[in-house]
Amino acid sequence: MTDFALFDQAIARDQRIEPADEMPERYRSTMIRQIAQHAHSEIIGMQPEGEWITRAPTLRRKAILLAKVQDEAGHGLYLYSAAETLGADRGDLTQRLIEGRQKYSSIFNYPTLSFADVGVIGWLVDGAAICNQVPLCRSSYGPYARAMIRICKEESFHQRQGYELLLTMMSGTAAQRDMVQDAVDRWWWPSLMMFGPPDADSPNTAQSMAWKIKRHTNDELRQRFVDMSVPQAAELGVTLPDPELAWNASRDHYDFGQPDWDELRRVISGGGAMNEQRIARRRQADTDGAWVREAAAAHAAKNLEVAR
Ligand code: ACO
């Protein structure tokens, strides 16, 4: 029996770990790391598409996009709350993000060059997010797993709106179809990188699988995403920019090429096209919002005083 016999037993029995349960310090810090990175990704992820809200081509598209970007803010907030159940402090997590001490998803460091990018982000980026996050609804940490249920439902709406937008553009003019193909060419490989490095180069996967935080490896989920996306691309009438993509009947899966892993390393360590701007905007928003947080804290303290 280890010091954490009840924890080990709960994991072995596939039960949830709850905030008040005893847990190894490394489990706690791994959960805070993953949940914080996930929360940061949702909040930073509002920027690439947010840039298109004022330029949406119709009122309907604007309303959809506004709702979607607001959902991302909500996801970030549930996730910061989940991290707080582990003893993390939201303000401290934000500070770590803007000082570059905590990561967020590589995918949000690419620019959104046309409105077709909004559709492709919905289809591919949110599609990849769903592939990765549906199994997280069974993650061993209760508050994270439960937050993920609602997040996945909303991500599903996001993916469908993206695909529907692309179907509309593909039935439009030749210029619109070209915009969609160009966006697919730019986002395909970064979407595959969202699942993380190959299993052989993933330092965290083995332990996170043993603790049932992750239910599948990075490569398993990447394969699932490719298998799901190929028929959707055919239906849409776009070409995925991978000459190695081919059905492999013996594996019952698509074979596919490898993303540029040096690019992933570069983007994760701050060298992507948009890293600097994304963090600068987040820092500015934090500074601009300081007075609201101070006023809310003063109001809460006053209410507490009155209640006494
Ligand atoms: N972008 C940025 N960092 C990444 C990425 C990526 N695409 N992939 C891996 N990393 C980081 C990991 O966070 C880890 O960093 P750290 O150890 O310094 O904290 C390092 O690279 C090594 O990777 P892994 O050992 O594979 O790390 P892990 O087991 O945590 O797996 C993964 C990475 C798959 C992203 C996992 O953390 C996860 O499933 N997270 C929850 C989902 C999520 O955060 N999604 C965000 C984007 S989706 C959206 O917001 C719409």
Side-chain angles (χ1 to χ4, degrees):
M1 285 292 218
T2 68
D3 290 348
F4 294 99
L6 286 176
F7 171 87
D8 292 339
Q9 205 173 65
I11 296 289
R13 290 181 180 163
D14 228 346
Q15 289 165 341
R16 292 276 157 80
I17 306 300
E18 296 298 338
D21 294 343
E22 284 203 11
M23 60 186 91
E25 219 26 64
R26 259 191 74 209
Y27 178 86
R28 184 185 299 277
S29 62
T30 299
M31 275 324 311
I32 292 177
R33 174 185 67 80
Q34 176 163 329
I35 298 173
Q37 285 179 9
H38 194 164
H40 298 329
S41 303
E42 299 283 357
I43 297 295
I44 295 280
M46 295 166 71
Q47 294 186 36
E49 289 181 279
E51 287 172 12
W52 283 92
I53 291 173
T54 54
R55 293 177 285 167
T58 66
L59 186 58
R60 176 170 173 264
R61 293 289 172 203
K62 194 191 197 74
I64 294 171
L65 189 53
L66 261 175
K68 186 191 170 199
V69 172
Q70 278 180 347
D71 285 352
E72 309 294 359
H75 298 175
L77 297 185
Y78 312 144
L79 288 166
Y80 284 127
S81 298
E84 282 177 330
T85 65
L86 289 155
D89 175 80
R90 188 181 303 216
D92 173 58
L93 296 179
T94 299
Q95 213 47 44
R96 285 169 190 262
L97 167 70
I98 59 189
E99 288 171 6
R101 289 186 285 133
Q102 262 178 355
K103 298 185 170 81
Y104 61 94
S105 181
S106 53
I107 194 71
F108 301 118
N109 293 305
Y110 294 84
T112 40
L113 303 182
S114 81
F115 200 71
D117 288 34
V118 171
V120 170
I121 289 176
W123 172 39
L124 293 180
V125 174
D126 296 324
I130 292 168
C131 261
N132 168 264
Q133 289 170 31
V134 165
L136 293 175
C137 297
R138 293 184 295 113
S139 188
S140 56
Y141 188 57
Y144 187 45
R146 288 188 289 275
M148 215 49 68
I149 294 171
R150 177 159 175 184
I151 290 177
C152 284
K153 285 186 180 160
E154 292 178 349
E155 291 296 354
S156 178
F157 154 67
H158 297 172
Q159 191 195 24
R160 280 150 198 249
Q161 68 80 35
Y163 198 70
E164 189 267 345
L165 164 53
L166 296 178
L167 281 172
T168 306
M169 288 188 78
M170 289 302 284
S171 61
T173 64
Q176 285 174 308
R177 283 192 288 278
D178 288 347
M179 276 166 74
V180 174
Q181 184 62 57
D182 172 62
V184 170
D185 291 345
R186 285 182 288 106
W187 289 95
W188 173 249
W189 293 110
S191 299
L192 292 189
M193 293 178 201
M194 283 174 72
F195 296 93
D199 293 349
D201 301 324
S202 162
N204 301 309
T205 292
Q207 183 60 73
S208 289
M209 295 280 285
W211 277 331
K212 298 181 181 166
I213 295 170
K214 286 168 87 162
R215 295 288 183 158
H216 304 280
T217 71
N218 299 355
D219 286 335
E220 284 167 5
L221 292 172
R222 196 169 2 256
Q223 178 74 63
R224 192 178 283 191
F225 174 69
V226 171
D227 290 347
M228 180 181 99
S229 301
V230 173
Q232 292 172 351
E235 181 68 27
L236 205 53
V238 295
T239 307
L240 296 174
D242 179 358
E244 293 177 49
L245 206 52
W247 177 249
N248 183 330
S250 64
R251 289 200 311 122
D252 226 10
H253 289 294
Y254 283 94
D255 289 337
F256 58 99
Q258 287 298 300
D260 177 350
W261 296 119
D262 288 339
E263 178 178 317
L264 176 64
R265 272 188 286 274
R266 198 168 56 246
V267 174
I268 291 181
S269 48
M274 303 301 286
N275 293 61
E276 227 170 278
Q277 181 178 320
R278 301 289 186 239
I279 290 297
R281 288 241 172 103
R282 183 68 195 88
R283 187 180 298 115
Q284 190 63 47
D286 189 59
T287 307
D288 292 348
W291 72 271
V292 180
R293 294 191 298 277
E294 279 162 24
H299 184 67
K302 206 165 148 188
N303 278 353
L304 207 63
E305 195 84 348
V306 171
R308 278 198 198 119

